[in-house]
Amino acid sequence: MTIPQISVFLENKAGQLADITGILSQNQVNMRAINIAETTDYGVLRLIVDDAAKASSILLEQGFILTMTPVVGVAVPDTPGGLSKVLSVISSAEIDVEYMYSVFGQKDGQACMIFRVADSDGLSAVLERNEIRTIAGEELGLH
């Protein structure tokens, strides 16, 4: 079970984040998670939004370069060691985590982490075998 993530490639200059969040806001697109990675010359903004198709269409119309990537949402107990347990299961299965970040808020004592791996279905199967719950887009309010 995967969640669509939008990755937007940005010039490393002031105002880029404000532009994108403003465009999404004006078009009633709600962000559920945001992450940015940067180098000297450019940045990659990763977004989980309530309507990925609408957001990507709007951002493309505005001239932004982006890709859509499947990621896996994982319920992580919001207790000491909760994330460590999940990462140990993933490591034991020899799955390489390309990157991860958290979703805004938590529910029922569970934080939600977003994982990007080469094999999303394989990760989901490993987590299920170890009784670690993946999170469906609907649980995050995604369309």
Side-chain angles (χ1 to χ4, degrees):
M1 171 175 358
T2 62
I3 294 170
Q5 171 192 267
I6 301 170
S7 296
V8 185
F9 299 93
L10 303 174
E11 291 180 62
N12 198 359
K13 67 178 188 177
Q16 291 280 283
L17 291 174
D19 290 345
I20 289 176
T21 58
I23 290 165
L24 295 176
S25 173
Q26 291 166 5
N27 287 279
Q28 302 300 306
V29 175
N30 195 6
M31 293 185 296
R32 300 295 186 214
I34 186 170
N35 174 277
I36 188 160
E38 65 173 296
T39 67
T40 303
D41 299 322
Y42 68 93
V44 178
L45 175 66
R46 296 181 177 110
L47 298 167
I48 306 267
V49 297
D50 63 347
D51 191 336
K54 178 180 177 182
S56 61
S57 176
I58 291 164
L59 292 172
L60 286 169
E61 287 172 10
Q62 295 293 317
F64 289 97
I65 299 168
L66 60 88
T67 60
M68 296 284 283
T69 308
V71 293
V72 178
V74 180
V76 177
D78 189 18
T79 58
L83 179 59
S84 179
K85 177 185 174 196
V86 172
L87 291 172
S88 291
V89 167
I90 293 170
S91 175
S92 294
E94 297 184 358
I95 295 173
D96 182 35
V97 175
E98 295 176 20
Y99 56 82
M100 64 179 221
Y101 56 94
S102 63
V103 173
F104 300 147
Q106 56 178 278
K107 184 178 178 183
D108 301 326
Q110 301 280 306
C112 177
M113 297 297 293
I114 299 296
F115 286 86
R116 171 66 177 147
V117 298
D119 180 6
S120 299
D121 293 334
L123 174 60
S124 294
V126 165
L127 295 172
E128 184 178 324
R129 280 195 306 272
N130 286 274
E131 299 179 355
I132 297 172
R133 189 171 67 82
T134 57
I135 301 207
E138 297 79 30
E139 290 181 74
L140 298 177
L142 310 185
H143 301 283

